[in-house]
Amino acid sequence: MAELKTKANDQSVEAFLQKVEPTKKRDDSFKLLEMMKRLSGLEPTMWGESIVGFGTYHYKYASGREGNWFQIGFSPRKQNFSVYLMSCDAANDLSDELERLGKHKTGKACLYFNKLADIDTSVLEEMIVKALKILESKPK
């Protein structure tokens, strides 16, 4: 988690997304917002200044470091979208889905794509549901 200083706050998700440029990226952002709301059953919260997160969970590493983070989320970055599937190692836990997704890149728990038209959104939905299930099955 590169942004350990990032915390949930009361900034407006809608106001943040209304400022996203260009218009197509803004439209895709609202589609992702609705998709994640529908699939998670959770309301969105701003985390820091540029991440829309859904739900929270408490993590604790073997090193003793611990904190709270969102379960799933996204950020409409200038270069691409970052979709955070925090409960899993995207390359390993979601390898079958990644093969069917379309044009993307991955990080450990992140998925990157330029626009929704580049990917199969039904596969993205499968990935979100799977990531939430993985998190739900982890010890609390």
Side-chain angles (χ1 to χ4, degrees):
M1 288 176 217
E3 300 182 26
L4 290 175
K5 295 179 183 177
T6 301
K7 304 277 187 216
N9 61 66
D10 61 0
Q11 290 180 334
S12 168
V13 171
E14 297 268 332
F16 166 68
L17 294 180
Q18 285 294 346
K19 295 177 188 172
V20 172
E21 293 292 339
T23 305
K24 180 63 179 143
K25 183 164 277 209
R26 181 181 322 124
D27 293 345
D28 280 356
S29 296
F30 278 103
K31 287 176 185 172
L32 273 173
L33 177 73
E34 291 308 313
M35 177 190 298
M36 289 187 170
K37 276 176 77 168
R38 177 174 46 82
L39 296 172
S40 70
L42 301 167
E43 289 300 313
T45 302
M46 288 300 300
W47 286 73
E49 295 186 12
S50 63
I51 298 174
V52 178
F54 294 80
T56 59
Y57 75 98
H58 188 78
Y59 64 87
K60 186 172 184 177
Y61 295 128
S63 67
R65 174 180 272 176
E66 61 184 294
N68 295 311
W69 203 244
F70 52 88
Q71 295 175 15
I72 58 170
F74 72 94
S75 183
R77 306 269 186 215
K78 188 173 186 170
Q79 187 171 2
N80 54 30
F81 280 97
S82 297
V83 173
Y84 303 95
L85 305 170
M86 305 316 290
S87 62
C88 55
D89 177 345
N92 292 316
D93 297 335
L94 301 170
S95 60
D96 293 339
E97 292 85 356
L98 289 171
E99 287 181 24
R100 299 181 286 123
L101 183 63
K103 188 177 175 183
H104 71 278
K105 294 181 181 178
T106 61
K108 183 158 178 69
C110 296
L111 173 67
Y112 307 101
F113 55 86
N114 292 331
K115 56 188 178 282
L116 287 175
D118 288 343
I119 62 168
D120 183 332
T121 56
S122 64
V123 175
L124 177 60
E125 288 186 6
E126 289 176 37
M127 294 171 73
I128 291 167
V129 169
K130 189 172 183 179
L132 288 167
K133 284 182 181 175
I134 289 170
L135 183 60
E136 193 175 287
S137 70
K138 289 186 176 186
K140 308 267 186 263

